[in-house]
Amino acid sequence: MKMLRFRSPSIRSLDQEVLCTIRLLDDSEISCSIQRDTKGQFLLDHVCNHYNLLERDYFGIRYVDPEKQRHWLEPNKPVVRQMKSAHQPYTMCFRVKFYPHEPMKIKEELTRYLLYLQLKRDIYHGRLLCPFAEAAYLGACIIQAELGDYDPEEHPSDYIRDFKLFPKQSLKLERKIMEIHKNELRGQCTSFAELNMLQRAHSLETYGVDPHPCKDFTGSTAFLGFTATGFVVFQGNKRIHLLKWADVSKLKFEGKTFYVIGIQKEKKLVLTFHTSTPAACKHLWKCGVENQAFYKCAKSSQIKTVSSSNIFFKGSRFRYSGRVAKEVIEASSKIKREPPEVRRAQFGQSRSFNSLSHKNLIMNMEPLVPALPSTNEYEETAADHAVVAVKDSVLLSPLEPSATPPDAEQLSTERGNDLQPSRVSMETSNHRPHMPKAEDEVEEDDEASGPLTISELVYSPCASMLPTPVDDSQGGVDLLFSSPVQSPARMLRELHADPDIQAQLEAERQRDQAYERTRLAARSRMGGVLTSSLRLLSSNERVNACMLSVARFVAVVMGVLLVTVPTLLLLLESDIDVSFLHEIRQTPEFEQFHFEYYCPLRRWILCRISMAMENLWSD
């Protein structure tokens, strides 16, 4: 008789390897094989070891699901479980997740170079929007870092045209970049030019913003973002909201609606936004929770598990697992090793537009096709010295609707045609000293109270690079929402204008009045019915026996819980090494319970016992 050997399907599935391809910031790729239970931290460590990178807390790995929704790979969860139904091999991207508040505090040149590559991508895809003068200076720093000093023998008169630095790159902008590159940046080495670019970029309002497209309660398109300073909202060419992390009390979402609850000018502020899908809303909420924990908390032990709802056991629960910004800066200051070699890629190898020849893009790869709108902005005009007034954006007010909603809805379509570049004095802007953001707190407080113009152009990042990507050929962000939110003022006008709706409202009003009269009449009879029902229940012995059995069952259940729960807590807090107890101890919920409730309770009990013992000994 032949012996049959059975193998568990779960064990067999763990032996299967999965191929992962990770695209780096210079568009090169590295691959590795993982097991089905490998967690996301392994891939992040694999990429950092490839770079020999120590300051790795600023970075993360991003992937796109089959619904084209972007996600950050969570380090404590298995990769296969997060990728779900994505096609193999898995393709992900290594990107900057948390932008350093002060790039000068980065210890190693390698880390600064990777941040420089990320900012180049942000500029090229329109995420790092800046005024014309700042754009020219940033472009000149990039050219200086990539090409070195200007050499008339090597560089022709139009050498900037070969490099695509901005999504809307006009001849005027190229001329200004060449002027700065020739005259102001001569003699700067590659690393110094990169650092100079980081210093100028980090002072911009859109630095570190991962724009999330949303609709406000009036139906106007806005872009939400999270920076080292706090929560920001961009609409048109203005930053209309800046809520610092110290003033943000809660972030939550329900379905497609995202709420930001905070305090502004000593008053409670509730901002409401609507996303295109529930998945996009949840991703927005998780990004907000992670950024708030990273930039606001002083220690990682202060990070708490956050719930998306006020109701217990409802909604999503999430906790950022990692070091915070202050801990990362302290760890960077303690690095003592020989600086690792920085292998810089050639300019042509690290540009996104050169990778467009690769036609076989994988479904879950981060798209690299930039949206290139018409170059009406940044074009040279006959009246070059004329300044065109920029229309004011409509404020996102959570309390009162806009007085003229149609104007707000037409604003986004009018800006694209009406905006022209204003003349900027480069002699003053390029030589002015750059002060850190911390020294401009008074100015920031004033700017937070009102809208702040960030550029001559409308903030319109490349649609394919948004956390919820859309196709520009199908209308872009404006058609992202299948059911756009209508303006409250428009809805009221439609109600008053339609006679059929008015008739229905009148009929409902009459029914409500009739129901109220019936309810008041029935309330007088309800007292007598209740008293008679109580007499009937007390006289029926069968009903009394049933109620008694239910009470006994509830008492037994409560007694079991009172015995089981403390016993389980004692086992968890003991040193008994059992597999299921070990798994429970590693959950963030148990760690939060241990540090916030169990330890203070234990200290209080021991204190009381010691006081009682001292009183006994003294007697």
Side-chain angles (χ1 to χ4, degrees):
M1 184 174 178
K2 188 177 290 186
M3 181 74 71
L4 297 178
R5 298 183 63 183
F6 295 92
R7 192 177 184 185
S8 171
S10 60
I11 298 177
R12 184 168 60 251
S13 63
L14 292 177
D15 293 338
Q16 299 178 2
E17 291 188 348
V18 179
L19 180 63
C20 295
T21 301
I22 303 174
R23 172 165 289 184
L24 305 179
L25 287 165
D26 58 357
D27 290 339
S28 62
E29 296 179 353
I30 60 174
S31 300
C32 66
S33 298
I34 62 172
Q35 302 293 330
R36 300 188 66 87
D37 61 342
T38 301
K39 295 185 178 180
Q41 187 64 43
F42 173 82
L43 291 180
L44 184 59
D45 292 340
H46 179 72
V47 178
C48 294
N49 293 335
H50 169 78
Y51 277 120
N52 193 14
L53 178 66
L54 291 182
E55 297 171 296
R56 57 186 64 182
D57 298 88
Y58 298 113
F59 303 89
I61 295 180
R62 204 170 205 169
Y63 67 94
V64 184
D65 63 17
E67 286 74 28
K68 296 185 178 181
Q69 173 63 47
R70 278 175 173 76
H71 304 275
W72 287 106
L73 194 69
E74 297 186 32
N76 295 332
K77 291 185 179 180
V79 177
V80 176
R81 187 183 302 175
Q82 298 183 63
M83 300 299 290
K84 297 179 181 179
S85 58
H87 300 288
Q88 297 184 16
Y90 297 151
T91 307
M92 291 162 271
C93 299
F94 179 74
R95 297 291 181 260
V96 174
K97 186 176 183 181
F98 303 110
Y99 289 72
H101 186 39
E102 297 181 65
M104 287 297 294
K105 292 186 178 180
I106 298 178
K107 182 69 175 292
E108 297 192 326
E109 181 183 348
L110 173 61
T111 312
R112 291 194 294 268
Y113 172 66
L114 295 178
L115 178 60
Y116 161 79
L117 292 179
Q118 178 67 62
L119 291 177
K120 275 204 307 183
R121 300 180 66 90
D122 294 346
I123 293 173
Y124 179 68
H125 292 290
R127 302 204 316 178
L128 184 60
L129 183 66
C130 50
F132 178 82
E134 302 291 343
Y137 190 84
L138 293 178
C141 289
I142 295 175
I143 295 299
Q144 179 69 24
E146 301 290 345
L147 300 182
D149 292 340
Y150 171 75
D151 188 350
E153 297 181 359
E154 296 182 2
H155 303 146
S157 58
D158 57 348
Y159 66 100
I160 300 295
R161 185 170 297 180
D162 297 334
F163 306 109
K164 293 295 182 182
L165 304 175
F166 298 88
K168 304 173 184 180
Q169 186 167 314
S170 65
L171 182 60
K172 178 181 178 181
L173 181 61
E174 291 177 354
R175 289 176 179 173
K176 199 62 188 178
I177 291 175
M178 288 190 292
E179 178 185 343
I180 299 175
H181 178 226
K182 293 177 183 179
N183 303 325
E184 301 184 23
L185 304 182
R186 177 174 294 277
Q188 292 186 6
C189 63
T190 300
S191 59
F192 189 79
E194 292 172 354
L195 180 60
N196 204 4
M197 183 260 201
L198 298 183
Q199 278 293 94
R200 182 64 67 96
H202 103 282
S203 63
L204 300 174
E205 295 298 329
T206 52
Y207 169 76
V209 173
D210 186 13
H212 298 259
C214 295
K215 295 280 188 180
D216 67 347
F217 79 107
T218 65
S220 303
T221 301
F223 290 97
L224 314 185
F226 308 100
T227 66
T229 306
F231 169 74
V232 291
V233 181
F234 297 99
Q235 197 171 63
N237 68 331
K238 295 181 182 294
R239 186 204 70 193
I240 60 175
H241 272 296
L242 170 59
L243 200 60
K244 297 183 179 180
W245 287 126
D247 298 330
V248 177
S249 57
K250 187 173 180 61
L251 302 172
K252 67 176 185 177
F253 78 98
E254 294 179 4
K256 300 187 206 178
T257 307
F258 178 69
Y259 302 94
V260 180
I261 304 172
I263 299 175
Q264 197 171 52
K265 295 183 179 179
E266 300 181 354
K267 294 182 180 180
K268 184 177 181 180
L269 179 68
V270 180
L271 300 177
T272 305
F273 303 93
H274 305 275
T275 60
S276 58
T277 61
C281 195
K282 184 176 181 180
H283 174 66
L284 173 62
W285 172 73
K286 291 175 71 173
C287 290
V289 171
E290 289 186 317
N291 278 270
Q292 185 179 20
F294 183 80
Y295 294 113
K296 183 179 179 180
C297 295
K299 296 181 180 179
S300 56
S301 59
Q302 299 176 354
I303 302 174
K304 300 180 180 180
T305 302
V306 182
S307 176
S308 63
S309 175
N310 293 329
I311 303 176
F312 193 59
F313 289 129
K314 181 182 178 182
S316 301
R317 294 174 62 83
F318 180 71
R319 182 180 185 272
Y320 166 67
S321 57
R323 293 191 294 186
V324 299
K326 293 183 179 180
E327 293 176 337
V328 175
I329 294 175
E330 292 177 2
S332 298
S333 62
K334 298 178 182 178
I335 295 178
K336 295 180 180 179
R337 67 167 182 174
E338 290 295 327
E341 180 183 1
V342 181
R343 300 175 182 176
R344 290 178 169 84
Q346 296 298 324
F347 190 82
Q349 298 176 359
S350 62
R351 295 313 306 155
S352 300
F353 67 91
N354 283 341
S355 64
L356 299 182
S357 59
H358 184 62
K359 302 297 182 181
N360 300 322
L361 291 177
I362 303 175
M363 179 66 180
N364 61 337
M365 184 184 297
E366 179 167 327
L368 296 174
V369 183
L372 298 177
S374 62
T375 57
N376 292 335
E377 301 88 346
Y378 285 159
E379 289 292 342
E380 289 185 304
T381 58
D384 188 27
H385 58 279
V387 179
V388 180
V390 180
K391 296 185 178 181
D392 292 336
S393 299
V394 179
L395 288 177
L396 291 180
S397 175
L399 303 176
E400 298 179 1
S402 175
T404 57
D407 296 337
E409 295 176 357
Q410 296 175 0
L411 195 57
S412 60
T413 58
E414 293 174 355
R415 284 193 182 112
N417 299 326
D418 293 341
L419 293 178
Q420 296 292 336
S422 59
R423 184 175 180 85
V424 183
S425 177
M426 289 296 300
E427 289 76 15
T428 59
S429 63
N430 288 334
H431 294 281
R432 70 176 186 270
H434 278 277
M435 302 299 293
K437 291 185 179 180
E439 299 180 8
D440 298 334
E441 294 180 356
V442 178
E443 295 181 3
E444 286 188 355
D445 292 338
D446 296 337
E447 293 170 354
S449 60
L452 175 67
T453 302
I454 59 174
S455 174
E456 300 88 355
L457 306 181
V458 174
Y459 188 64
S460 179
C462 171
S464 63
M465 299 301 295
L466 296 176
T468 307
V470 292
D471 190 358
D472 288 324
S473 62
Q474 298 179 358
V477 178
D478 291 334
L479 296 183
L480 177 64
F481 302 85
S482 57
S483 57
V485 182
Q486 292 187 354
S487 169
R490 173 185 290 184
M491 295 175 63
L492 289 176
R493 285 197 301 271
E494 291 178 354
L495 290 176
H496 288 292
D498 195 337
D500 295 334
I501 295 180
Q502 287 296 318
Q504 295 178 6
L505 291 176
E506 184 64 27
E508 292 180 359
R509 197 176 297 112
Q510 293 178 359
R511 286 197 300 269
D512 293 340
Q513 293 176 357
Y515 172 76
E516 186 67 20
R517 289 193 296 267
T518 305
R519 188 175 65 84
L520 292 176
R523 180 181 296 178
S524 60
R525 299 193 299 267
M526 188 62 66
V529 174
L530 288 176
T531 53
S532 61
S533 300
L534 291 175
R535 291 195 190 100
L536 179 62
L537 289 175
S538 60
S539 61
N540 194 334
E541 296 180 358
R542 182 175 297 180
V543 174
N544 290 336
C546 181
M547 295 295 293
L548 184 61
S549 62
V550 171
R552 288 175 179 173
F553 176 75
V554 172
V556 171
V557 171
M558 294 298 295
V560 171
L561 290 177
L562 290 175
V563 175
T564 306
V565 172
T567 304
L568 180 61
L569 291 178
L570 290 176
L571 291 175
L572 289 173
E573 297 296 340
S574 64
D575 296 333
I576 300 176
D577 190 8
V578 184
S579 60
F580 82 97
L581 294 177
H582 183 68
E583 293 177 357
I584 296 175
R585 292 188 188 108
Q586 290 182 341
T587 58
E589 290 81 3
F590 177 78
E591 292 180 358
Q592 182 178 357
F593 168 80
H594 176 79
F595 289 109
E596 293 188 6
Y597 299 102
Y598 177 79
C599 291
L601 179 61
R602 184 178 60 181
R603 287 194 296 268
W604 183 82
I605 293 176
L606 293 177
C607 181
R608 293 298 179 182
I609 292 175
S610 62
M611 290 175 61
M613 295 297 293
E614 289 178 359
N615 292 334
L616 289 176
W617 283 107
S618 62
D619 294 341

